[in-house]
Amino acid sequence: MTNSESATKRGHREGPYHHGDLRNALVRAAAELAETGGPEAVTVRAAARLVGVTPTAAYRHFTNHEQLLGAAQAEAQQSLFGAMSAGVESLGPEAHAILRLNAVGRGYIAFARAEPGLFRTAFCETGPVDGAPEDSPAFNLLSAVLDELVEIGYMDPAHRPDAEIAAWAMVHGLAALMVEGPIRGLDDAAREQAITHTLAVIQRGLATGPNASD
């Protein structure tokens, strides 16, 4: 199923917005526009057209493109978090923290490949001042898993500060290269090898605690 078909089916399933819920309907429409066309496709007029209201009605809730794009970005970030957390939850509460870290990375890359428009929207510029990484549920999930690595002695506490940035940069870079970079044409075997190797490099880089070899 294509992204546009997915968005259409979701829109039909949800049906028209309820009275007084136009703002949420516009946000969902913006997310659909981002899903199919990336952040460039998100405009107040396009969202109003998708919902079936006049631009004037839409502008009562979002006065400009940046406000609506910011709302669409929040939706994209939540979708990214859902993809990452789904893999972690499938492992069960007793899974080793390294397996949870790998699940976070794989969920991130899978989301980028399945929803390239939303992936780009999740990290696009929405105005002169964007939110801090700590405002992102996906970032907080990564932080929690890294804290687990310290707790079990896999990572030295002295190496914990800003470890999110290093791990995030590697996984995000690989995801971006696979979505719109020079390795987007890899076959399944080569793609899996690239993902496995990248996650292994991250794992080795974090293995600085007394229990890293256990």
Side-chain angles (χ1 to χ4, degrees):
M1 180 181 295
T2 65
N3 287 341
S4 59
E5 289 172 339
S6 175
T8 300
K9 286 182 178 294
R10 181 170 61 253
H12 288 168
R13 184 173 64 252
E14 292 178 350
Y17 68 91
H18 296 287
H19 179 68
D21 195 32
L22 177 55
R23 186 184 189 283
N24 289 334
L26 290 168
V27 172
R28 290 194 297 270
E32 291 184 15
L33 291 166
E35 182 178 343
T36 57
E40 301 84 359
V42 180
T43 67
V44 177
R45 287 183 175 275
R49 189 181 310 116
L50 194 58
V51 173
V53 298
T54 65
T56 301
Y59 279 118
R60 295 193 186 103
H61 297 273
F62 297 99
T63 58
N64 55 44
H65 161 76
E66 288 77 15
Q67 284 188 359
L68 181 57
L69 184 57
Q73 183 180 62
E75 284 282 304
Q77 283 280 350
Q78 193 61 39
S79 296
L80 171 61
F81 168 72
M84 295 165 64
S85 60
V88 175
E89 292 169 0
S90 69
L91 296 174
E94 304 303 321
H96 194 282
I98 281 296
L99 294 179
R100 295 148 82 85
L101 180 67
N102 287 343
V104 165
R106 286 184 175 277
Y108 193 104
I109 295 168
F111 175 81
R113 295 189 61 245
E115 303 288 359
L118 287 180
F119 178 68
R120 289 170 54 213
T121 303
F123 300 102
C124 69
E125 292 188 17
T126 58
V129 179
D130 291 328
E134 292 79 4
D135 296 333
S136 162
F139 187 89
N140 289 333
L141 175 59
L142 173 59
S143 294
V145 176
L146 292 176
D147 287 342
E148 289 183 45
L149 292 179
V150 173
E151 291 172 5
I152 65 174
Y154 187 90
M155 178 167 52
D156 189 322
H159 300 154
R160 174 64 184 85
D162 297 326
E164 296 96 336
I165 302 300
W168 182 17
M170 289 188 68
V171 172
H172 183 86
L174 178 61
L177 289 171
M178 286 185 169
V179 168
E180 52 190 4
I183 62 172
R184 61 184 179 275
L186 292 180
D187 59 32
D188 291 345
R191 185 187 310 113
E192 175 59 28
Q193 182 178 9
I195 293 172
T196 299
H197 181 66
T198 299
L199 294 177
V201 170
I202 294 172
Q203 180 176 332
R204 288 195 298 271
L206 298 174
T208 59
N211 300 328
S213 60
D214 293 349

